[in-house]
Amino acid sequence: MEDHKPTSFSFEIDNFLQKEAAISSPTFSSGGCQWYAMVYPKGNGIEDHLALYLYVANSGSFQLGWKRRAKYSFVLLNQSGKEIHKTAEMGRQVFCAQVPGWGNPKVLTLKNLQEKGFLETNSKLIVKVQVQVLEVFNEAEVTGNETMDVKGFQVLYSQAIKVSWIFLKHPGIALNFKPKSQLVKTTYMNLLLKLIEKLDKPPHSFSETELSNTCTELADLTETGFKLDWLKEKLDEISLERKKIDDASRIQELEQQNKNLKAELNEEKFKSATFAAKVLWLEHTDHKPTSFMFEIDNFLEKEDEISSPTFSSGGCQWYASVYPKGNGIDDHLALYLRVSNLGSLQLGWERRAKFSFALLNQSGKEFYKTTEVCQVFCAQVQGCGYPKALILKKLQEKGFLETNSKLIVKVQVLEVVNEAEVTGNETMDVKGFQVLYSQAIQVSMIFVRHPDTALNFKPKSQLVKTTYMNLLLKLIEKLDKPPHSFTECELSNIRTELVDLTETGFKLDWLEEKLDEISLEKFKAELNKEKIKSATSAAKVLLLEQKVSTLNRKLNKKPKLSPN
């Protein structure tokens, strides 16, 4: 059995003040594991600070997925054995293949160590390590997604050291961080790590677009509560250097343009000839706008979905769907364009089409036309259209329709892709949010029913926007459960997520109302349970009292025994 009792190990360093390079202690055993300490006399990353670390020894001989969880501290003593300094105990730190060592790069300033005369003549320093092993895993399944907590952020093992360094160098970085949802916190931390990595590149490697995107990401991070003055200074320096490079390049470019003006004029003539040839070719292609018309008799009496005959446009087969009484949104005429012959399409098929609808009455007079839109059609999104094309009441009141009605469908196909690699991660833009194809219809319906949902949404980074949209979709899915299935903890977490979403600019009054309704229903159900329990308890008390009364009567009726 492994020994998990606390262990102390000491080693001496002679002439410490003259040392420069890192000093490694002998190996020692604690909790059935081998360890060693590392001392950096002149600092490790942070100059003029003594740095101390604890490492797992012989980690190369361990099996895949090894892990040690331990708490530890360091004590510094002078030659006389007098304690100079003691570090705070670090509790439940995880040591593993990605993070084989933990420690403190800012234990004590070297100036402080020298000035106060802690060390005696030969500057001998005694380092005492106190270790207690809490858990040992020699082998485990490794997915690469294992996480640990660093200052309230769940980060991958591979990110742990980097994140810890950020908090060491900038302790107040996340003191005012607002979001509470762990999913959102992880996204912002990943965005911060990527931003730091970007800003390590040389200034000349940044394009104008990259610099603009970096500014946007930095603004998103600071608005959510991160304190990133040091990154702002670095970005300003890069922007200034980049401007100097751009100015020099611009001068050189103008000089080159002046020299090559004649050649460029000839090139423009060639381009003009090529463009004319392209126009001539396009005029003979099959991608001209296609108009298709079909009639619906007695439209006002119709109830169910009406499908048009199949028609061809851009080499593709299509049909239109009309919902006379609405599709998900009552009292609105709904119009959709759908892809036909799905079974014959190849894996990864995709259509990009620009289309619009027009409504005409029996006399052929156009009384309504939709705006023209360009949409992506695929296996997950086989149809797109207008769920709120026209209010039915308006259609009836204004007398647009006579005894009949006609519908004209105009379609212009811009691009056809019959086969592509399918990863399941294909995305499309819905109101500025990049969402998976499988989410597109649900997200579109949110914006149709609640058009102002994201009008005041603040973040600009697409990574952050995607995270918040995924959080919103999960929240909607959660709130579709029956009230009795929620625990108090679940309701509390949902309210926290809803606060995170509203604070970032989403307008979600409709979800707040639903959550309040669920909370109220749950409270009523629990109140009824308590009433039933109370009534049951009262009945039990009454029954027991009756039993006691009966027993008392029986005892009183018994004949008294003679003392003889």
Side-chain angles (χ1 to χ4, degrees), residues 420-438:
E421 183 182 356
V422 179
T423 65
N425 296 320
E426 290 79 10
T427 62
M428 64 192 302
D429 183 276
V430 180
K431 299 291 184 181
F433 289 81
Q434 287 296 316
V435 301
L436 296 173
Y437 282 178
S438 56

Side-chain angles (χ1 to χ4, degrees), residues 58 77 93-94 230 248 251 262 355 378 383 419 430 468:
N58 64 312
L77 304 97
Q93 294 287 53
V94 175
W230 47 288
I251 292 169
K262 187 176 179 180
F355 65 95
C378 58
E419 187 172 3
V430 180
Y468 274 110

Side-chain angles (χ1 to χ4, degrees), residues 275-439:
F275 178 73
K278 283 183 178 178
V279 169
L280 187 63
W281 177 79
L282 285 170
E283 286 176 350
H284 292 86
T285 62
D286 189 34
H287 286 264
K288 293 179 182 179
T290 302
S291 292
F292 173 78
M293 179 170 60
F294 73 102
E295 299 179 4
I296 305 173
D297 291 324
N298 302 312
F299 176 76
L300 294 177
E301 282 81 51
K302 303 294 184 184
E303 296 281 342
D304 300 325
E305 175 191 358
I306 302 164
S307 295
S308 77
T310 301
F311 63 94
S312 179
S313 179
C316 308
Q317 297 299 307
W318 310 85
Y319 70 96
S321 283
V322 182
Y323 293 83
K325 302 301 181 187
N327 179 33
I329 300 175
D330 294 337
D331 301 324
H332 279 77
L333 170 67
L335 304 169
Y336 292 88
L337 176 68
R338 302 189 189 280
V339 177
S340 185
N341 64 314
L342 296 173
S344 64
L345 299 176
Q346 295 173 306
L347 186 67
W349 68 270
E350 187 179 292
R351 306 277 186 269
R352 187 172 283 105
K354 186 187 291 183
F355 65 95
S356 64
F357 288 86
L359 300 179
L360 295 87
N361 62 17
Q362 188 174 357
S363 303
K365 182 182 177 182
E366 183 180 299
F367 60 84
Y368 177 76
K369 186 175 182 179
T370 66
T371 55
E372 194 177 70
V373 293
C374 185
Q375 291 286 1
V376 174
F377 298 78
C378 58
Q380 298 89 341
V381 187
Q382 299 165 7
C384 294
Y386 308 82
K388 294 172 71 175
L390 195 64
I391 301 173
L392 295 175
K393 191 175 180 182
K394 186 177 179 182
L395 185 67
Q396 294 167 339
E397 283 180 354
K398 296 205 174 181
F400 288 135
L401 300 184
E402 298 168 0
T403 55
N404 223 318
S405 62
K406 288 183 181 180
L407 178 71
I408 295 179
V409 182
K410 294 179 181 178
V411 184
Q412 183 182 26
V413 177
L414 302 180
E415 181 181 359
V416 177
V417 181
N418 287 322
E419 187 172 3
E421 183 182 356
V422 179
T423 65
N425 296 320
E426 290 79 10
T427 62
M428 64 192 302
D429 183 276
V430 180
K431 299 291 184 181
F433 289 81
Q434 287 296 316
V435 301
L436 296 173
Y437 282 178
S438 56
Q439 299 171 324

